Amino acid sequence: MNARYDLVIVGGGPVGASLARALAGVDLAIALVEAVPPRDPGQPSYDERVLALAHGSRRIFEGMGLWPRLAPHAHPIAHIHVSQRGRFGATRLHAHEEGVDALGHVIPTRAIGQALWAELPRQANLDIHCPARLTALELDATAARLHLETDDGPRTLEAALVVAADGGASPTRRLAGIDSEETDYGQSAVIATVTPERPHRDTAYERFTESGPLALLPMSEGRCSLVFTVRRDEEDALLALDDGAFLARVEARLPHQGGYVRVSPRRAYPLRLVRARRLTASRLALTGNAAHTLHPVAGQGFNLGLRDVAHLAEAIADAHRVGTDLGAPELLAAYERARRPDHDRTIGFTDFLARVFVLRAPPVGHLRGLGLVALNLCAPLKRGLARHTLGLTPPLPRLARGLAP
Ligand SMILES: Cc1cc2nc3c(=O)[nH]c(=O)nc-3n(C[C@H](O)[C@H](O)[C@H](O)COP(=O)(O)OP(=O)(O)OC[C@H]3O[C@@H](n4cnc5c(N)ncnc54)[C@H](O)[C@@H]3O)c2cc1C
């Protein structure tokens, strides 16, 4: 007999695990399928990355009741400073001007993983299949069948609805026959934790340079998380530098920040844009990186995925309340319609930043400088940027208002 569920979530990274958690209070039979145990050193989601969580994402975690577990690991961002190397022009955002206590929080992905996976095994409506890998998928009008490879041999699960949260390469997306647009930026993000000599004053810096953007996010104990974007052909050389030479490169790109005294081991990620052409198929919805993998320049990838979670959890909870089939085409079409504008806006904004700030022609650099100055001076433009950064663009689902779905 196949195990039968209302909902099967494939992928227990931060997006899939958040969806499972968001539905903790809903009387459904849910399964979470994850290939790599969360504490395994090879776990691809919960690694050295440190994420900038938008204010709106904090609200979503509050709605899930998870924020008290995350708060001790989260450092507030009080100010954001955006500038470009070797050119005039800068724009600044301040939490107090936006009427919030923090524009966002900086948190290690491992802390998100630990908080989520501490709660999930206790969740009464959830079965966890881990380690278990989805290898085949059948989708038809009556049900979805998921074929898994587990340590105890093959297993098959049936579900009314499958949610793919299995990352940028998404086997579920591929098995469902959903095409994606893919652009290789030809860049890599080298990440590390650095300790500046001067206090960071809870300020996040985004600095655009000729080879790509560089971000510095404030953390506890005076440390900062660094995301140093370089052309792919510069990656090996940057990783091979000794610590002193590496820090000198960082200092050269952020001169007004002073020097640095320490750096952690470095790690590189190739950067590409992946966007699914559709968000749904029969009895299937895509979320998180499975739907959209972004350049990290504006720190939007997980925030966008968490907003997918908030919308989908609400649609699922509402359907359950009125007794509708969770895999009904109307529910899936409404999810696709609800998420498209946010995806278009966030992907468009991120892709624009990733491309326009590496163009080298002098007039372009000048215009970028003017753009940053204009953004800083023009209240409506700045407000638009702030709302986007805060992750508070309406319509807000219940979770994003701090309520249960
Ligand atoms: C350098 C860098 C910096 C970033 N900074 C930020 C930031 O500041 N703010 C922000 O919002 N975002 C940021 N991001 C983006 C963010 O890391 C991702 O958007 C987020 O981790 C995606 O989560 P996910 O759960 O969708 O996918 P993933 O984390 O990829 O999780 C997918 C899960 O699915 C599992 N899986 C895969 N295949 C199968 C299968 N066949 N069967 C079962 N399970 C499977 C995997 O083991 C994995 O656990 C950054 C990304 C990078 C690279």
Side-chain angles (χ1 to χ4, degrees):
M1 275 275 283
N2 297 337
R4 168 98 206 173
Y5 293 96
D6 297 308
L7 168 67
V8 176
I9 302 165
V10 185
V15 169
S18 293
L19 179 62
R21 168 70 189 178
L23 292 167
V26 184
D27 184 21
L28 290 169
I30 306 174
L32 179 63
V33 178
E34 169 52 51
V36 188
R39 286 184 185 280
D40 190 301
Q43 220 296 330
S45 308
Y46 307 118
D47 59 9
E48 282 74 26
R49 251 170 301 173
V50 173
L51 304 185
L53 271 191
H55 177 76
S57 295
R58 167 191 169 162
R59 299 276 290 274
I60 293 173
F61 278 129
E62 283 170 350
M64 289 179 199
L66 203 71
W67 186 248
R69 270 195 184 273
L70 294 173
H73 308 280
H75 193 89
I77 302 174
H79 316 279
I80 297 179
H81 182 280
V82 186
S83 61
Q84 57 174 336
R85 188 182 182 207
R87 305 255 171 207
F88 74 99
T91 195
R92 296 173 186 80
L93 296 176
H94 305 286
H96 63 269
E97 285 180 4
E98 304 308 323
V100 288
D101 59 350
L103 293 165
H105 284 82
V106 180
I107 185 161
T109 47
R110 283 214 175 90
I112 298 179
Q114 278 160 11
L116 284 163
W117 281 87
E119 296 289 341
L120 294 182
R122 296 197 287 216
Q123 200 167 306
N125 64 355
L126 182 69
D127 284 349
I128 296 174
H129 299 267
C130 178
R133 185 176 292 279
L134 179 80
T135 52
L137 182 65
E138 296 165 58
L139 301 168
D140 64 40
T142 54
R145 270 167 295 281
L146 300 97
H147 302 282
L148 311 183
E149 226 172 63
T150 76
D151 288 353
D152 302 324
R155 284 207 66 178
T156 300
L157 311 183
E158 285 188 6
L161 175 65
V162 179
V163 173
D166 49 354
S170 183
T172 314
R173 184 182 71 221
R174 192 172 34 80
L175 290 168
I178 299 180
D179 281 345
S180 53
E181 295 164 40
E182 307 204 0
T183 309
D184 190 339
Y185 287 113
Q187 297 175 350
S188 296
V190 173
I191 64 156
T193 303
V194 296
T195 308
E197 275 166 355
R198 293 191 203 149
H200 54 52
R201 298 182 199 285
D202 304 333
T203 304
Y205 291 92
E206 183 79 55
R207 178 98 165 143
F208 292 94
T209 76
E210 319 75 57
S211 60
L214 185 143
L216 204 58
L217 303 171
M219 295 175 74
S220 59
E221 295 156 22
R223 297 166 306 153
C224 290
S225 163
L226 172 74
V227 182
F228 193 154
T229 311
V230 289
R231 289 196 312 271
R232 184 87 34 83
D233 58 7
E234 296 172 327
E235 175 193 317
D236 287 344
L238 196 65
L239 290 174
L241 289 177
D242 64 43
D243 288 357
F246 178 77
L247 289 175
R249 289 277 178 97
V250 178
E251 192 178 337
R253 278 165 177 73
L254 273 170
H256 47 297
Q257 286 321 105
Y260 298 85
V261 289
R262 250 191 313 280
V263 58
S264 70
R266 289 153 250 162
R267 180 178 176 151
Y269 297 79
L271 301 181
R272 50 203 344 247
L273 169 66
V274 181
R275 184 175 190 183
R277 289 193 198 275
R278 288 182 288 135
L279 292 182
T280 60
S282 177
R283 299 198 171 273
L284 173 84
L286 304 182
T287 57
N289 273 27
H292 43 70
T293 302
L294 273 59
H295 194 293
V297 55
Q300 293 286 330
F302 176 59
N303 290 305
L304 185 61
L306 202 59
R307 296 200 289 275
D308 295 341
V309 165
H311 279 270
L312 191 55
E314 182 167 315
I316 290 171
D318 284 347
H320 176 66
R321 268 178 216 115
V322 295
T324 320
D325 174 6
L326 294 191
E330 301 74 35
L331 181 148
L332 293 167
Y335 170 69
E336 176 117 31
R337 266 196 316 277
R339 296 307 298 139
R340 276 286 166 203
D342 191 9
H343 287 189
D344 288 347
R345 220 173 18 242
T346 308
I347 296 168
F349 173 66
T350 301
D351 187 49
F352 170 78
L353 288 181
R355 290 171 194 276
V356 80
F357 276 95
V358 292
L359 296 175
R360 288 165 185 236
V364 181
H366 226 68
L367 287 174
R368 285 188 307 240
L370 284 175
L372 288 174
V373 172
L375 204 55
N376 202 39
L377 295 178
C378 174
L381 275 181
K382 207 170 149 183
R383 178 140 291 271
L385 176 70
R387 294 208 76 74
H388 196 81
T389 305
L390 291 168
L392 292 178
T393 308
L396 294 181
R398 284 193 286 273
L399 273 171
R401 285 178 268 139
L403 307 169

